[in-house]
Each structure stands twice: as C-alpha cells, then as structure tokens.
Amino acid sequence: MLNESRQVTAGSNASVTQLQVQEQVHIQELSNGNIGTRTSENPIVEDYHQRENEVMQQHATNAMADLLENETSENIPQRAAETEILDIEQLFQADSFENELIAAGQSQFQLSEWTTHPSTPPPLPFSYVNADTPTVQLHQSLLGEKEQELERAFSELDVLLEEEVTVEVKRHTVLEDVQRIYSNQSIINKRLHVNFIGEEGDDFGGLTKDLFSSFWNSAFIQWFKGEDALVPCIPVNQYAKAQDIFSVVGKVLSHMCQLNHCVPPRFCRSTLLSVVFNTSMIDGRTLLDDFMLHVTVPERTLLQKALNSFEKLSISEKSDLLTFYSVNGMHTVPSAKDFREQLVLVAQNELVIKPMFLNCFIRQAIPESHMRAFWSQLDTDLISYLYWQEMPTADRVLQCITTSENDLKPEEEVAYYYLRDFIKSVDQDEMSKILHCVTGSPLLPNDGITIVFNRLCGSLRRPIAHTCSNTLEIPVSYASVQDFKREMKSILNSENAFMTMI
C-alpha cells in the first residue's frame, strides 16, 4: 500500500508538472498571439482544444493581472489621498510627534518650496494643555526654559541696535508715513523717538509701541484677511505694488521685534513660521489651531463641533459644512473619517499656500543680520511661546495691574473694584483697546500697569492714560459699576480715545 501510494503521488506530481509546462507553453502562445490557430480533424479533440484555450486565456489574464498588481504595489509609490498627509489622528495621540514624523517618512504632504534651499521648521509641536480650544497654551514645566531661550535670542538682536532717530507721523496717515520712513533701509537697527503730529506727549517707549500698533491695525485692514489670525491678501489688480507693500511689512515686523521684543498678535502664527523657515511644511496641529482663529466665529463653532462629534451634526449644519468646503476649494463631501485630514489641507492652503507669493516679499525684506542673529535661532516652540506670552487674557491683565498706593481710600477701593470687574467682562477686542490706550500696544505689557486715581467729575470726568509709564488714572466719582462700564465702553469705541493718552 505504501508503494502504491508513492506511485500515485509520483504520478500526480508528474501530471501537475506536465500541466504546468503546458500552461507555460500556452501562456507563451497567448503572448505571441497564437491562441486559436491550432486545428484538428477530430471535432471532439477540436472542442477540447477550444475549451482548453479558453481556460488558458483566463489563466493568462489572471497571471498578467497578478504581475501588474505586484509591479504596482512594489515599484510605484502610493498616491491615495489618505497618504498625502500624515495621519493627524495618530499624531494627536502620539507620545512623540517627532518620532511619528520620522516613521511617516515620505508620506507627509509636501509642496514645492520657494527656493532651492528650503528650511523646514522643527516638527515638534507646541505643547497644548487643551487641543480643542483655538488658543496657544503651554505646560507650566516648559515656561522657564522657553523664556530663557527667547531672552537669549532677543539679546542677540539687541546687540545690533544703534543711535536714536526721530520720526514724525500723523495718526490718520500712518500707513503712508511708515512706508515713507521704511523706504530708507538705514532705519533698521535704529532706536526710534516717535512724535505724533498734532498730539502732545514724549516718547519713552510708549509712543514707539503706539506707532507699531497703529501701523498693524491699519495694515491688517488694508493688506490682510482673517478674523483673529490674519494672512497677507491683496486684490490681484494691486500685485504690481505687492513688493513695495510687503517689503515694508517685513521691515516693520523685524524692527518691531527688535525694539519691543514682540510680534503682532493677530499675524497668523503658521504664516510667520512659513516666512521664517521659508517653507510650506507646517505641522497639522499648528495649522488646525491657527485656522480656528482665522475663520469667523460661526465657522469656528461649526468646525469645532464637526471635529469633536461629526455624527451629531444636524442636516443644516452638514449643508453649511459642505458650503464651507466649496467656498474654500475642497470639492468633496465631508465625512467623519476624513474630516480632520481634509480640514488640515484647507488650513494649509489658506494660511500658507495662497499667501506664499506675498510672504516671499516679507522674508526678502527681513535684514540678513536679523535673520542670523534672531529668526534663525527660533523654532516652532519658541515662536508659539512668543505668541503665548503676549496673549492678553482677563486673568493675566488683572495680574499686571497694581495701585500706586498700598492703602486705598474707600472711594478708591470702589473705583478699583469697578475697574477689575470691567476687565473681567470685556471681550478680546475691547481688551486689546484697553491695553492700547494704556500702554500704546494691544499686547500684554512686560512691566505691568499702574493704577492711580483722580477726582474729576461732571463733564471733565474721564480716565487718563500715560503710555510712557503704563499708568491709568481713573476717577472715583462713579455712582455705580454700570455707570463706570458705560463710560469706559463709550471712550474705547470713540475715535478720540487716544486723545486721552499722554
């Protein structure tokens, strides 16, 4: 029985081998176009050969399909949409963002750079306390380290400062005046002594900050777009002037950083990263966070809901989301699976790709000495920390204010209480206006704000700001906190608000 089994096996193997040889021959015949050319005098044999040819043709088709599939999977890079960008969901959950980027390799979404020698920003993301809110926050354990690194970078920039020069500007023509001033390249590295024509006041630093703040307020309206994170944007018919316009933007940006150690708070962080590192590659987490600040408040609410719980969107919200996609050039149907990745692509297009042409002029205008001494020393974390430390939240502003006297009189205690209550109730725009009136800048001041009191009443009653010393005088003659708030809001929204600055 054993020998018989071996014979059967041997016979089977021989048959298999013979069939394989025949199959190879027939495949070769197929490739040479010979199938169907054999004839036979016996109809049964001819029918057999016909059926055999059909089987062999199917084998050949399958073999060729397998060959093409193997060739495609082994030698042709994958171009599916999901491999065009890093898996954002995995990146958000990863312990080490840098390791995830290394593991992702060439699957990261890439676009052409501006120059032949691009410099990509470090991939480590900013450390968020709460990634669901569109605000820049930092773990407390990193504050001291980042502050020291930033101080070292600013000290390198301070070394380049030279003698002081006096400049005169008019508040209502600040854009034109600043363009005139910075048409002279030698203004860079000079300390400024600013005079606002038609206004009283001496510049001990406050008016310089006021000049930059006034310039950015006007520039953001004329040459940028966005809500709370703005990107360069001008009409196409103004492109002939683009280099002149954004060369001034680049010079003012770097000079402001040199003199005031700060950046414009509404200048989009992702856009600044792309300018500094001359690249279109910004990590997805930073893009998403900045894009939430770039869009309008209703859009922000809708996008945040879609990110957190896409399945809970109503029919009307899904329709609004589809319209949002269409307006921003994403011509596909939003889905829970791909929404985050698609939103990152939209953010990258709006914050980096579209303004790339104008960003080139900003970067070219930054002096090479500034680039070497300061900008090249920064990374993604330090730039994010720079934005974070300038953020004027109510709690941080309250921590900045102190009274000139420790022992206050009863009416002064009441007025001081009214002020603190008012600060807690204002929105971000009003907070920036308060700081601008008091310090000359909408940013959080490094040296605090001092509160003093006056006894003005009747038609003379008003708060008075001393920008040179970050001092605010408030009257003690208010009858109620509502009275105080009404008057403060009226002053902040008035065109003459800056006339109370000294």
Side-chain angles (χ1 to χ4, degrees):
M1 294 178 61
L2 179 60
N3 291 335
E4 186 176 6
S5 174
R6 288 175 178 172
Q7 291 174 0
V8 172
T9 304
S12 300
N13 292 338
S15 300
V16 171
T17 303
Q18 185 177 5
L19 287 174
Q20 290 174 343
V21 172
Q22 290 176 352
E23 181 174 332
Q24 293 175 0
V25 171
H26 289 309
I27 291 175
Q28 183 64 36
E29 290 177 350
L30 287 170
S31 65
N32 294 332
N34 296 327
I35 188 167
T37 61
R38 292 179 299 171
T39 61
S40 175
E41 298 178 355
N42 190 332
I44 298 177
V45 174
E46 184 176 352
D47 181 68
Y48 167 78
H49 284 306
Q50 182 178 353
R51 287 186 285 107
E52 183 184 42
N53 287 339
E54 293 174 357
V55 173
M56 289 300 101
Q57 186 175 9
Q58 184 63 43
H59 280 310
T61 302
N62 294 340
M64 187 62 68
D66 292 340
L67 180 64
L68 290 175
E69 183 178 357
N70 292 335
E71 181 71 14
T72 300
S73 61
E74 292 176 3
N75 301 326
I76 300 178
Q78 295 293 326
R79 304 300 297 173
E82 58 268 24
T83 62
E84 294 288 335
I85 191 164
L86 292 174
D87 189 340
I88 303 300
E89 198 68 54
Q90 292 180 1
L91 292 180
F92 277 12
Q93 299 171 358
D95 294 332
S96 173
F97 186 81
E98 184 175 17
N99 293 336
E100 290 293 328
L101 278 176
I102 295 173
Q106 297 301 316
S107 65
Q108 188 171 5
F109 182 74
Q110 296 193 20
L111 297 167
S112 59
E113 305 297 344
W114 305 344
T115 68
T116 56
H117 302 287
S119 176
T120 304
L124 276 174
F126 200 56
S127 303
Y128 292 93
V129 175
N130 185 352
D132 290 334
T133 57
T135 56
V136 184
Q137 301 183 23
L138 182 66
H139 287 305
Q140 293 294 322
S141 60
L142 300 177
L143 289 178
E145 175 186 345
K146 296 304 173 185
E147 185 175 1
Q148 292 177 2
E149 292 180 19
L150 201 57
E151 285 180 355
R152 283 195 296 268
F154 277 126
S155 64
E156 295 294 325
L157 203 55
D158 291 340
V159 173
L160 302 176
L161 282 172
E162 301 172 359
E163 72 278 3
E164 184 178 86
V165 295
T166 300
V167 295
E168 294 187 341
V169 297
K170 295 179 181 178
R171 193 175 293 277
H172 64 280
T173 60
V174 65
L175 274 183
E176 293 80 1
D177 291 342
V178 169
Q179 285 180 291
R180 169 180 51 81
I181 292 169
Y182 282 89
S183 63
N184 184 357
Q185 184 68 26
S186 65
I187 194 68
I188 301 294
N189 295 328
K190 296 291 195 300
R191 293 180 174 87
L192 298 182
H193 186 90
V194 178
N195 291 329
F196 279 93
I197 298 175
E199 299 181 19
E200 296 182 1
D202 202 1
D203 187 9
F204 296 98
L207 293 182
T208 297
K209 291 187 290 184
D210 187 17
L211 170 66
F212 289 129
S213 298
S214 299
F215 167 80
W216 287 111
N217 287 340
S218 298
F220 283 153
I221 294 173
Q222 297 291 330
W223 304 329
F224 287 74
K225 72 170 184 177
E227 196 75 9
D228 296 315
L230 292 91
V231 300
C233 179
I234 58 174
V236 176
N237 63 298
Q238 294 185 19
Y239 271 23
K241 303 177 181 178
Q243 185 168 6
D244 293 337
I245 291 173
F246 288 97
S247 292
V248 171
V249 170
K251 293 174 186 177
V252 174
L253 172 67
S254 196
H255 201 198
M256 174 185 181
C257 213
Q258 182 182 38
L259 295 178
N260 294 347
H261 291 187
C262 62
V263 295
R266 298 175 68 197
F267 195 109
C268 179
R269 179 176 46 146
S270 292
T271 305
L272 181 60
L273 284 167
S274 70
V275 169
V276 171
F277 296 104
N278 197 24
T279 183
S280 61
M281 293 304 305
I282 309 297
D283 71 83
R285 195 181 309 197
T286 300
L287 285 169
L288 274 184
D289 196 65
D290 291 345
F291 191 60
M292 288 299 183
L293 291 170
H294 177 71
V295 298
T296 65
V297 174
E299 289 174 333
R300 188 181 306 169
T301 303
L302 175 64
L303 296 178
Q304 197 64 63
K305 183 176 180 180
L307 285 170
N308 293 337
S309 52
F310 190 92
E311 64 283 353
K312 294 183 180 180
L313 292 176
S314 65
I315 295 177
S316 63
E317 287 174 332
K318 289 182 179 179
S319 176
D320 290 342
L321 194 59
L322 184 61
T323 303
F324 174 84
Y325 264 34
S326 178
V327 169
N328 288 277
M330 179 63 73
H331 301 295
T332 187
V333 178
S335 65
K337 178 183 177 182
D338 302 324
F339 179 68
R340 188 178 293 270
E341 295 178 359
Q342 292 169 349
L343 192 58
V344 169
L345 293 178
V346 173
Q348 187 172 37
N349 186 52
E350 292 295 322
L351 304 183
V352 179
I353 307 305
K354 283 185 177 181
M356 186 179 293
F357 171 68
L358 304 177
N359 289 346
C360 288
F361 300 129
I362 297 176
R363 177 180 172 83
Q364 291 169 3
I366 296 177
E368 186 60 32
S369 59
H370 285 208
M371 192 64 70
R372 288 195 308 268
F374 179 74
W375 296 107
S376 63
Q377 307 302 316
L378 305 182
D379 58 20
T380 308
D381 276 1
L382 281 179
I383 289 179
S384 297
Y385 174 74
L386 184 57
Y387 278 84
W388 178 86
Q389 71 171 3
E390 297 171 357
M391 191 180 301
T393 63
D395 289 341
R396 299 177 75 180
V397 171
L398 289 174
Q399 292 175 6
C400 282
I401 64 174
T402 57
T403 58
S404 59
E405 302 291 338
N406 292 329
D407 296 327
L408 300 181
K409 298 177 179 179
E411 64 273 18
E412 294 174 343
E413 285 278 9
V414 172
Y416 188 50
Y417 172 81
Y418 289 168
L419 173 65
R420 294 177 65 87
D421 188 80
F422 174 68
I423 291 175
K424 294 176 184 178
S425 67
V426 300
D427 58 26
Q428 193 67 40
D429 286 340
E430 290 173 328
M431 185 71 74
S432 297
K433 289 180 180 179
I434 294 173
L435 292 175
H436 193 177
C437 285
V438 177
T439 69
S441 169
L443 307 178
L444 199 69
N446 295 326
D447 45 357
I449 297 173
T450 302
I451 306 300
V452 298
F453 304 92
N454 63 49
R455 266 70 184 170
L456 299 176
C457 58
S459 61
L460 297 178
R461 188 179 69 182
R462 68 195 187 281
I464 301 175
H466 303 262
T467 57
C468 58
S469 58
N470 291 356
T471 301
L472 176 63
E473 289 185 38
I474 57 174
V476 297
S477 54
Y478 295 104
S480 65
V481 66
Q482 289 77 21
D483 192 20
F484 180 88
K485 289 181 179 180
R486 278 193 297 269
E487 188 162 301
M488 287 295 293
K489 284 182 177 288
S490 175
I491 292 173
L492 291 176
N493 295 323
S494 170
E495 295 181 357
N496 298 321
F498 295 102
M499 299 306 292
T500 62
M501 296 167 53
I502 298 178

